[in-house]
Each structure stands twice: as structure tokens, then as C-alpha cells.
Amino acid sequence: MNLLSDRITNMSTSATLAMAAKARELRAEGKDIIGLSLGEPDFNTPDFIKNAAIEAINQNYNSYSPVDGYVELKEAVITKFKRDNNLTYTLPQIVVSTGAKQSLYNVAQVMLNKGDEVILPCPYWVSYSDIVKVAEGIPVEVKTSIDTDFKMTASQLEAAITPKTKMLWFSSPCNPSGSLYSKEELEALAGVLRKHPNIYVVSDEIYEHINYTGKPHASMAGIEDMFDRTVTVNGVSKAFAMTGWRVGYIGAPDWIARACNKMQGQVTSGTNCIAQRAVITALNAKPSVINYMIDEFKTRRDMVLQLLEDIEGFKTNTPEGAFYVFPDVSFFFGKTLRGKTIHNATDFSLYLLEEALVATVTGDAFGNPDCIRISYAASQEQIKEAVKRIKAALV
């Protein structure tokens, strides 16, 4: 008798968390591991946000909060959407959750029935596929390549649509590729979706502010005819270096938001009250307060790309956002290095961990078996040393 459910037995382990755990094991053995696997800024949460949390503690915020978030926080989210994205939401259309991952899970649970198809442009964030599967949906992967900056075209979207298609999920800027959809590219995708009015969109914009183009961020909900068909997911983890605070949110059609509120009320209820009070302060601040982080990430991006150019077999493009590079490493497949044969990206990523003592993540986890994800949310010194080690391990 299987005591565990088929649901959990069939679920994949998060590859990013698994690699981080493996790196911790090796560190415990005394190995000097450089971690370039986790999607976590290496900055501290800004002091003005931490001070808001301290003030909330002193003001005795210690009771259950409303399931969908404090009104003051929802108002701050509304202000942020209008200021940064020119999107006009109302209070019933906002749901605050324990991280954007819970926001995504809520949406899948309230929107998908068994057999509903969800289009996922590859590469996609590691948890999308399993979140869809747990809701008994069917992930439909649309392959892209480094030559098109890992972005899905309108023709690819059209070809992927079937009578069972219920949703399209994507992130921009993208984790893991750093790709950024322009307004023109989103309009092209929307042109296809207008012909299929029953398909809804999840637009994951958690990396919105980490944008190196100098152009305003483009939101799918801001494209003509798409507002009432789009769930915009965001949070404070990446831009404000608040990963452990666990606060995400959605702006959505009110009927979807009400359903997410209902779902959340039976699972976690309201998000941590102290974290919510801190996020009010974060969202009401001008985005320019975090420019120092964005500037440093851009410097690191340019550095890691330049360093990787010196390694034969790494094929790279220039990501326009987030803090990842996603090189194609298929050059090494079939080769034997230090007695170990590299069959795929997973083998290659494990080889780098064991032989170069550098933690990356296999592209298999993101729906692209030819690439690995390298996070440059690390110091410049660590990045230089990591690439030096990688180069030495591949000679």
C-alpha cells in the first residue's frame, strides 16, 4: 500500500532548491562551494523597510490579518500598479499572498480543471509545470531558442493552441533566461489571443524593476483587450531583496481574485502581519530607491558575459532583465571530462558542482535541456572566481 498520495509522488523536487541543498552538503564536508544557483539577491533589505517592520512590532501588529491582505497594503499595491504599469485596479481585485509562488498556486487551483491545457513558453520558471500538474492541468511546452532570446513568437503561440487551451503563463523579465517581452511583442501575442477569447493569461512580473533596457516595463494587462483576461503576479522578493519576507500579490479580474481569496482562506489565511506592514512602505516608495541594486546587477551581467566569452563551448545571448544568464552548453554533450561523460545539462551542472565547486542549475528544470542557469546575484569577486574555476574544469 502506498501511504503517500499520487499527487506528491508524481511531483518533481524544485531543482533550484535541490541544487542549493547539494551545495550545502558539500560545504558541510569542507568544500569551498560558490553558489550561483539560487534566485536570491545578495543585498540586504533596505533599512527604511526594516524600520517599518520594527515600527509595526512596536505598534503591536500581532493579530490575524484579513485573508487577502490589509486594506492599506492593497491600496499600496493599487498605487504601485497605477504608477509603474498604468493599470487601474480596485480593492476587490487585489489579493496578497505568502509569496508570489502562493499567488501562482492559488490561480492554478481556482482556474484549472482536469485536462485543461496551459501554454508554457520554454524556458519557464521551475515551478510552473508542477503547479499546473497539481491542479490537474496539462503543461504544453513551447520551445524557444537562444537565437530568438528565448521568446515565444505569435506564430508559435497560435500553433500551440487547441480546444483544451485554458491559459498562457509566462514571466517577463524571465526566470531563467532574463528575456524581456517588449510592448510590441506582447501586442503580437495579444493579437493571437483576441481570436481565442476564452484563454486567460498569467503574467509573472516579479523581476519587473530589474530591467536594463532603459525602456518602461510592458505589462500584458496594459495591452488593448487584455486587462480583463490577465492575472498580473508580482511581489517584493527580487527588487527589494525581501525573499524571506514572503509577500506576493496579484491584480486580477474581480471574480478570479474572489476565488483566490476563498482558496487562500482555507489554506494559509492572511500573510504575515509584520511583513505586510513593511511592504506597505516598500511599495509606496519610488522605484528609484533600489537603483543601486539594479546598477550593480547590470555591471555583474556584463562581467559574467565577458568572462564566459573566453570559454569555448558556452553560447550566450545578452539578457535584458533579471539576474541570470542562460548559456547553451550542448557543445559539451557526449564529451568525457576528467573521466565523466556529459550526456545532458544535468550532467554538466553536476560536473561543475563536483569538479569546479560551482553551483548552477540544469536547464532541464526550466524546460530547456541544452542550457544551464547561472545566477549573478553574487559578488563580483565570487563571479570572477567561479568562472575561473569553470574554465579550469573544462580544459
Side-chain angles (χ1 to χ4, degrees):
M1 179 181 179
N2 185 4
L3 298 180
L4 292 176
S5 68
D6 293 340
R7 185 181 305 108
I8 192 64
T9 302
N10 294 331
M11 182 184 291
S12 303
T13 300
S14 168
T16 53
L17 299 181
M19 181 58 80
K22 179 68 174 175
R24 284 194 297 270
E25 290 176 10
L26 292 176
R27 287 192 185 99
E29 296 173 5
K31 303 288 181 62
D32 177 24
I33 304 296
I34 297 178
L36 302 182
S37 62
L38 278 180
E40 181 170 40
D42 60 322
F43 296 96
N44 292 319
T45 303
D47 287 343
F48 77 96
I49 299 173
K50 292 189 288 187
N51 290 335
I54 294 168
E55 183 179 353
I57 293 171
N58 291 333
Q59 291 178 350
N60 296 312
Y61 277 93
N62 50 33
S63 301
Y64 289 131
S65 63
V67 170
D68 54 349
Y70 286 121
V71 169
E72 299 97 319
L73 177 50
K74 293 175 67 171
E75 289 174 339
V77 170
I78 289 170
T79 297
K80 173 261 174 295
F81 273 132
K82 186 63 178 178
R83 178 192 66 213
D84 300 342
N85 313 105
N86 197 29
L87 300 176
T88 302
Y89 289 103
T90 60
L91 287 172
Q93 295 177 300
I94 305 299
V95 179
V96 177
S97 301
T98 304
K101 186 180 285 188
Q102 185 183 19
S103 297
L104 292 163
Y105 180 85
N106 286 346
V107 173
Q109 289 294 315
V110 306
M111 290 292 289
L112 299 177
N113 288 311
K114 187 174 183 178
D116 286 341
E117 293 179 352
V118 178
I119 295 174
L120 304 178
C122 300
Y124 50 77
W125 181 54
V126 63
S127 292
Y128 287 174
S129 182
D130 276 284
I131 288 174
V132 169
K133 290 177 183 176
V134 168
E136 298 189 278
I138 300 173
V140 176
E141 298 185 353
V142 176
K143 303 298 182 183
T144 66
S145 76
I146 196 169
D147 297 318
T148 57
D149 287 330
F150 300 109
K151 288 187 277 192
M152 180 180 66
T153 65
S155 60
Q156 286 181 303
L157 173 59
E158 183 72 79
I161 292 173
T162 76
K164 294 182 179 180
T165 304
K166 182 70 173 288
M167 304 191 81
L168 161 65
W169 285 31
F170 70 98
S171 59
S172 179
C174 176
N175 176 4
S177 68
S179 302
L180 186 67
Y181 283 90
S182 67
K183 182 178 180 181
E184 294 72 23
E185 289 166 334
L186 292 181
E187 286 175 341
L189 297 178
V192 174
L193 294 171
R194 289 188 190 101
K195 295 183 286 185
H196 304 274
N198 294 321
I199 298 176
Y200 287 78
V201 177
V202 165
S203 179
D204 181 350
E205 303 179 14
I206 193 75
Y207 291 91
E208 168 191 7
H209 292 302
I210 308 176
N211 176 345
Y212 312 123
T213 66
K215 301 176 182 178
H217 173 79
S219 295
M220 180 60 91
I223 304 300
E224 185 179 357
D225 299 327
M226 294 306 300
F227 182 80
D228 291 330
R229 300 172 54 185
T230 300
V231 178
T232 305
V233 180
N234 213 319
V236 293
S237 293
K238 311 303 181 180
F240 291 95
M242 296 178 70
T243 50
W245 296 71
R246 309 310 304 135
V247 181
Y249 54 85
I250 63 170
D254 55 2
W255 59 275
I256 297 177
R258 285 196 305 269
C260 289
N261 188 17
K262 180 180 179 181
M263 171 64 65
Q264 190 164 295
Q266 294 288 16
V267 181
T268 58
S269 296
T271 301
N272 177 284
C273 58
I274 303 303
Q276 285 196 62
R277 304 311 298 186
V279 173
I280 293 170
T281 296
L283 293 183
N284 281 329
K286 294 181 179 179
S288 58
V289 299
I290 57 169
N291 279 354
Y292 67 96
M293 297 189 209
I294 314 306
D295 292 343
E296 176 62 18
F297 282 138
K298 185 176 185 298
T299 296
R300 296 174 186 177
R301 180 203 65 173
D302 296 343
M303 172 188 293
V304 72
L305 288 175
Q306 183 177 11
L307 292 171
L308 290 176
E309 283 183 1
D310 291 334
I311 303 179
E312 182 185 11
F314 275 72
K315 183 179 180 181
T316 61
N317 65 326
T318 302
E320 295 181 326
F323 39 72
Y324 311 106
V325 292
F326 199 60
D328 185 314
V329 294
S330 58
F331 170 86
F332 298 97
F333 299 172
K335 298 184 183 300
T336 299
L337 303 170
R338 299 185 183 179
K340 298 178 180 180
T341 301
I342 308 299
H343 297 99
N344 48 46
T346 299
D347 287 347
F348 189 74
S349 188
L350 286 173
Y351 176 81
L352 294 184
L353 179 63
E354 295 168 354
E355 298 296 328
L357 303 182
V358 176
T360 60
V361 186
T362 172
D364 281 307
F366 305 100
N368 187 312
D370 292 334
C371 300
I372 62 170
R373 190 187 77 173
I374 298 174
S375 169
Y376 49 87
S379 70
Q380 294 186 34
E381 292 73 19
Q382 285 180 309
I383 292 169
K384 290 176 183 177
E385 176 61 23
V387 178
K388 178 181 176 181
R389 292 183 186 183
I390 290 171
K391 185 176 182 178
L394 297 176
V395 173

